[in-house]
Amino acid sequence: MSEPEYREVEAEERRHLLRSFGYWDIVVLGALMGAGLGFLYGHGHGSRVEAWRVFAGMAIGALCALVAGWVKVQGRARERFFTRWAAERQWHYEAAGRPFEDTPFLQSGDKRRASDFFSGFWPELGFVLYQHKRIVGSGRDEQVTNYLVLHFSLGRPLIDLLQISPRSRAAELEAKLFGRLSGLGERIELESAELDQHFRISGLRGQEDELRRLLTPSAIVRLLDFQRALPDGNARFEIVGTNVAFLVEKTLSPKRPQLIVELLELWRPIAVWLTEEAGPEAQPPATVGESRPS
Amino acid sequence: MTPVDVVLALLVLVGLLVALSFNRLVRLRNKVNEAWQDVDVQLQRRHDLIPRLVEVVEGYAAHEKELFDELTRLRSEAEQASGAAAQSAPESELATALAGAVAVAEGYPSLRAAENFLSLQKEIATTEDEVAAARTIYNGNVRIYNTRIQTFPVSFYADLFGFEPAEFFQGA
């Protein structure tokens, strides 16, 4: 099998749609319905039925059907492309599923959505990588942030809670002024000033020594290397027992699937370090929809 | 508001900024010291591994005595030095000699297969990684701290409050 090209898959889907009789039937049906609505609208607003209203309705109806077809092509092409792309790497792809909610940040936000699940082994570590949408607020105040999440399980629990989140001066000022902390845990300051500039590290109260033992100088250097490689990624790392989630603020696009490989490569030293710390046996990858508390 | 009030307000503001900056400098200096403690711990781990390496290898390669004597001498020199700048050269020499000794030991097939040598070899590799990482963190802290005290406006009063530039650790 050769590496699939998204443009080819998309063009193939478009050709398939244009060749299908059903599609043109729907376009004609859309035009007829639009014409009917235009007629009814004109009839309701005066005694004379103006031809332009019927034609405008017809055009709008046909256009809606064409756009719906185009959206369908995009969706199908995306799914087919990612399935083939994942199969090339002996991974599995699912377009939809429930988001993981087993770490504090993955649980946060008013609503959560998930899509584009990739699961498999990389190289020996079982993982699930997916697109996580965190939604805060509603209506016009709704804020949606897209994260690419790498989720995997360790052989044994490493620590009750470790959160490494991007340092936000605004959030810290808010915490100082109103005593409100966005994270769950107690803040821990490590010896690196550079790490302190970029990340806020927290763990459970009373577990500071355990965290310090875990975050050795070489672990800190790995985190800093990641930060330097992806300075605008708003990277987060979370460990809760055996569950590990790495997040970056990125949107997955079939036009640039290499982003997945690039991120996996960047995450790799940190993931290897964690699996070594936890023990050599990594658990098999969780399948989509499995072991996810709702 | 009279001009005196304006001057007083400005003085209070400047005083507040200096106080905040002073606290930040103290925090940075503490970070430099903390990171140096880490480097020191890792260097001590390296020093502790040398007698163990000599002991393990001597049993298999007694005629490499010169090499072990040199290693012991360099270890003692490195232990006598104090401070980041002073320790840089002896630690580099010691690291090179240690790598050389491990390479020589690897040349003995019976030693290469010995369980205690293998575990020691792994421990040396881990320690060297940790030394390198601790050095990176320490030098990073020194860079941030030195830049802070040598740039305007902190450079005006850093010296006054006794904030001296920290030394980089160039050793391996």
Side-chain angles (χ1 to χ4, degrees):
Chain A
M1 257 202 285
S2 61
E3 186 82 4
E5 275 280 337
Y6 177 64
R7 274 188 302 184
E8 281 173 20
V9 177
E10 193 191 22
E12 213 176 285
E13 279 297 327
R14 206 182 305 122
R15 276 197 301 274
H16 183 260
L17 182 85
L18 292 176
R19 274 201 304 264
S20 65
F21 288 111
Y23 177 61
W24 292 112
D25 291 348
I26 287 166
V27 173
V28 171
L29 194 68
L32 285 173
M33 279 175 70
L37 286 172
F39 174 82
L40 288 174
Y41 184 79
H43 195 66
H45 283 78
S47 52
R48 275 178 57 213
V49 175
E50 291 174 359
W52 72 268
R53 288 189 202 273
V54 176
F55 281 117
M58 193 186 275
I60 291 169
L63 195 68
C64 286
L66 282 167
V67 169
W70 184 81
V71 169
K72 196 179 170 192
V73 163
Q74 297 296 310
R76 281 180 57 129
R78 183 187 180 95
E79 195 172 337
R80 268 193 58 203
F81 170 75
F82 275 142
T83 305
R84 280 170 60 182
W85 189 83
E88 272 293 299
R89 288 156 183 81
Q90 269 118 44
W91 296 345
H92 177 71
Y93 171 77
E94 275 183 47
R98 281 194 297 139
F100 280 90
E101 292 182 345
D102 49 14
T103 71
F105 191 77
L106 292 178
Q107 282 169 12
S108 68
D110 296 321
K111 280 181 273 177
R112 292 158 292 279
R113 301 267 181 276
S115 62
D116 300 316
F117 286 81
F118 294 84
S119 55
F121 285 92
W122 163 77
E124 64 283 325
L125 176 77
F127 76 93
V128 174
L129 185 142
Y130 75 100
Q131 183 84 66
H132 182 97
K133 260 188 215 301
R134 181 173 178 266
I135 304 159
V136 179
S138 60
R140 275 199 292 184
D141 296 329
E142 190 175 271
Q143 274 187 316
V144 182
T145 319
N146 288 319
Y147 290 94
L148 268 177
V149 177
L150 173 73
H151 190 284
F152 60 93
S153 298
L154 299 167
R156 65 174 177 85
L158 197 57
I159 197 147
D160 290 337
L161 174 72
L162 168 63
Q163 280 184 292
I164 302 173
S165 43
R167 190 170 168 191
S168 153
R169 288 191 189 278
E172 274 166 30
L173 189 66
E174 190 189 343
K176 273 181 189 166
L177 291 174
F178 307 110
R180 210 166 40 180
L181 277 168
S182 55
L184 269 180
E186 183 97 332
R187 186 174 178 183
I188 288 151
E189 267 200 44
L190 294 172
E191 60 269 34
S192 167
E194 200 182 343
L195 189 79
D196 214 32
Q197 283 176 350
H198 299 298
F199 294 113
R200 182 183 189 279
I201 296 170
S202 49
L204 288 184
R205 198 181 292 259
Q207 288 195 339
E208 192 175 335
D209 287 346
E210 261 179 75
L211 276 175
R212 285 186 185 276
R213 248 196 310 277
L214 182 67
L215 293 166
T216 57
S218 54
I220 293 172
V221 168
R222 284 185 188 110
L223 290 171
L224 288 174
D225 286 346
F226 185 90
Q227 164 64 27
R228 283 188 205 113
L230 206 72
D232 58 344
N234 267 334
R236 287 176 180 275
F237 304 87
E238 291 194 300
I239 307 173
V240 180
T242 54
N243 300 318
V244 182
F246 295 166
L247 300 94
V248 285
E249 214 179 299
K250 294 265 174 205
T251 305
L252 185 62
S253 160
K255 287 175 185 160
R256 204 174 160 262
Q258 276 310 106
L259 177 66
I260 297 175
V261 179
E262 285 165 21
L263 281 173
L264 287 175
E265 280 305 318
L266 284 177
W267 276 321
R268 188 176 174 159
I270 304 168
V272 168
W273 153 59
L274 288 175
T275 43
E276 278 173 5
E277 286 291 323
E281 285 173 28
Q283 287 184 354
T287 51
V288 176
E290 185 188 283
S291 69
R292 254 176 259 158
S294 52
Chain B
M1 204 182 233
T2 64
V4 177
D5 291 338
V6 173
V7 170
L8 274 176
L10 279 174
L11 280 176
V12 169
L13 187 71
V14 168
L16 199 69
L17 288 175
V18 170
L20 285 173
S21 165
F22 177 84
N23 288 345
R24 187 167 155 65
L25 286 181
V26 170
R27 270 200 301 274
L28 276 175
R29 190 171 57 189
N30 288 345
K31 289 247 176 215
V32 170
N33 293 336
E34 209 183 321
W36 178 249
Q37 294 303 319
D38 255 5
V39 175
D40 217 28
V41 166
Q42 301 307 332
L43 292 178
Q44 192 53 53
R45 270 182 69 185
R46 176 196 274 168
H47 297 169
D48 293 346
L49 288 170
I50 289 166
R52 285 173 56 195
L53 179 73
V54 171
E55 194 188 318
V56 170
V57 181
E58 254 179 350
Y60 294 85
H63 56 281
E64 302 283 2
K65 196 176 176 308
E66 260 180 47
L67 179 76
F68 302 133
D69 287 348
E70 175 70 357
L71 205 56
T72 312
R73 186 187 64 79
L74 288 172
R75 175 188 181 242
S76 150
E77 261 180 35
E79 277 182 339
Q80 275 162 17
S82 163
Q87 276 177 259
S88 293
E91 284 299 340
S92 288
E93 281 178 48
L94 182 63
T96 312
L98 183 60
V102 172
V104 167
E106 280 170 348
Y108 294 86
S110 51
L111 189 56
R112 221 168 38 207
E115 194 68 38
N116 53 355
F117 176 71
L118 289 176
S119 82
L120 192 60
Q121 198 182 18
K122 200 177 167 192
E123 215 175 316
I124 290 171
T126 313
T127 306
E128 290 305 317
D129 285 349
E130 289 297 332
V131 168
R135 185 191 58 205
T136 306
I137 293 168
Y138 170 76
N139 285 343
N141 287 2
V142 170
R143 197 188 60 244
I144 293 171
Y145 170 75
N146 284 357
T147 307
R148 185 87 187 152
I149 63 167
Q150 287 164 356
T151 48
F152 180 82
V154 181
S155 56
F156 274 121
Y157 50 83
D159 201 29
L160 194 73
F161 291 130
F163 291 99
E164 299 285 331
E167 295 163 333
F168 285 96
F169 178 56
Q170 316 278 13

